[in-house]
Amino acid sequence: MPLEIAVTDEPSDEALDLIGSGLDQFNLEAAGYADRRALAVLVTDPASGKVVGGLTGRTSLGLWFVDLFHLPPEYRGSGLGSRVLKAAEDEARRRGCRSGVLYTISFQAPDFYVKHGWTVFGEVPCDPPGTCRVFLSKDLSAG
């Protein structure tokens, strides 16, 4: 009987774990090690103890991937975003990453990343019309 293929926007934790561990095993066999780990920098309101924003991503095989970065408007422009990004970069370096990679949208924060030493290496048009995904990288060995 042929295998079935299902598309979902709600994969189970079990499915995600199976895919992740399968990839880790493949990397172990190909590279001699598998070091994929989540990396998050969380911004917490001390009064409520609740997370109000932050950065999520992962490190693997010498690369740091930024997945999501969000701060509510009232926390922007104060240097907090720069501190969050620096904390994540420092942790990526501590884990042995040589480079970082991310994408943002042209109406989001490409200039923020460029200001912090990231380099644009590509753009892909997306919606809404007139916008694009902006792909950036950073050499983490430069300090």
Side-chain angles (χ1 to χ4, degrees):
M1 183 180 324
L3 296 174
E4 295 178 3
I5 296 174
V7 176
T8 181
D9 60 356
E10 295 182 4
S12 68
D13 289 340
E14 179 183 356
L16 294 173
D17 289 343
L18 178 118
I19 293 166
S21 63
L23 181 60
D24 286 343
Q25 184 59 40
F26 180 87
N27 289 347
L28 181 62
E29 292 167 9
Y33 66 101
D35 63 349
R36 181 178 54 92
R37 291 173 54 196
L39 192 162
V41 178
L42 306 177
V43 177
T44 306
D45 178 340
S48 68
K50 293 188 179 186
V51 173
V52 297
L55 178 150
T56 64
R58 65 195 180 284
T59 57
S60 176
L61 301 176
L63 285 176
W64 165 43
F65 300 89
V66 176
D67 293 328
L68 302 170
F69 189 179
H70 174 75
L71 291 174
E74 62 268 28
Y75 300 114
R76 297 178 195 158
S78 66
L80 180 60
S82 297
R83 290 176 30 223
V84 169
L85 186 59
K86 181 177 181 339
E89 288 180 6
D90 289 347
E91 177 60 16
R93 282 187 195 93
R94 191 187 71 70
R95 294 182 186 189
C97 293
R98 293 181 277 171
S99 300
V101 66
L102 63 84
Y103 67 84
T104 186
I105 301 175
S106 55
F107 62 76
Q108 289 178 336
D111 293 340
F112 169 81
Y113 295 108
V114 169
K115 181 177 96 173
H116 288 87
W118 293 73
T119 303
V120 174
F121 68 86
E123 295 183 0
V124 177
C126 66
D127 288 331
T131 65
C132 61
R133 299 279 176 160
V134 181
F135 293 80
L136 299 103
S137 65
K138 183 170 184 177
D139 178 358
L140 297 177
S141 65

